[in-house]
Amino acid sequence: QVQLEESGGDSVQAGGSLRLSCAASVFILSGYCVAWFRQVPGKGREGLATIESNHLTRYAVSLEGRFTISKDYARNTVDLQMNNLQPGDIAKYYCAARIDRGGGCWLLDHQYTYWGQGTQVTVSS
């Protein structure tokens, strides 16, 4: 069983930056698809970014290049750097993982097996 834990959520002013981290109970930097999603109350989960075992990344077009997903081998985390945050980014942010069996890692929440509890991001204007 893989356990995931997000950290780094905070309250920032519009235009600010945050870096979220996803820590895992196993080594997830190889052999796993890891993704970041977010959700606001009353809405479905929105896929933001994925990273594959081979470091290939995919992003939601709506992010317009403001977010970057990366692996930190020293800490065994998958991080999400978020820049130029806006009130529209207010949400609970989740990391998710599944075994990478090839075929690509996509921003489809139903494909992911393991989920963290989420970390809240708030942006004030």
Side-chain angles (χ1 to χ4, degrees):
Q1 185 75 4
V2 176
Q3 294 181 325
L4 303 175
E5 183 175 5
E6 303 91 341
S7 62
D10 205 343
S11 181
V12 297
Q13 291 196 330
S17 298
L18 283 174
R19 189 174 187 89
L20 306 183
S21 291
C22 175
S25 58
V26 300
F27 185 69
I28 59 166
L29 305 186
S30 179
Y32 286 86
C33 293
V34 183
W36 282 94
F37 291 81
R38 67 186 178 188
Q39 189 171 25
V40 298
K43 293 191 175 181
R45 283 185 284 221
E46 177 187 9
L48 302 173
T50 69
I51 190 164
E52 299 186 13
S53 295
N54 63 5
H55 295 260
L56 181 68
T57 57
R58 292 183 175 87
Y59 295 92
V61 174
S62 61
L63 297 179
E64 299 178 320
R66 296 184 297 123
F67 293 6
T68 303
I69 190 170
S70 62
K71 297 181 181 182
D72 186 327
Y73 283 87
R75 298 188 300 135
N76 187 35
T77 61
V78 173
D79 298 340
L80 186 69
Q81 176 67 38
M82 307 187 296
N83 298 326
N84 190 23
L85 285 162
Q86 299 299 319
D89 296 314
I90 295 173
K92 197 162 189 180
Y93 285 68
Y94 298 88
C95 72
R98 67 170 178 84
I99 293 173
D100 186 351
R101 294 188 172 90
C105 302
W106 303 97
L107 293 171
L108 300 171
D109 59 356
H110 68 269
Q111 291 187 342
Y112 290 85
T113 311
Y114 308 106
W115 290 82
Q117 295 299 307
T119 186
Q120 180 67 38
V121 171
T122 303
V123 184
S124 57
S125 56

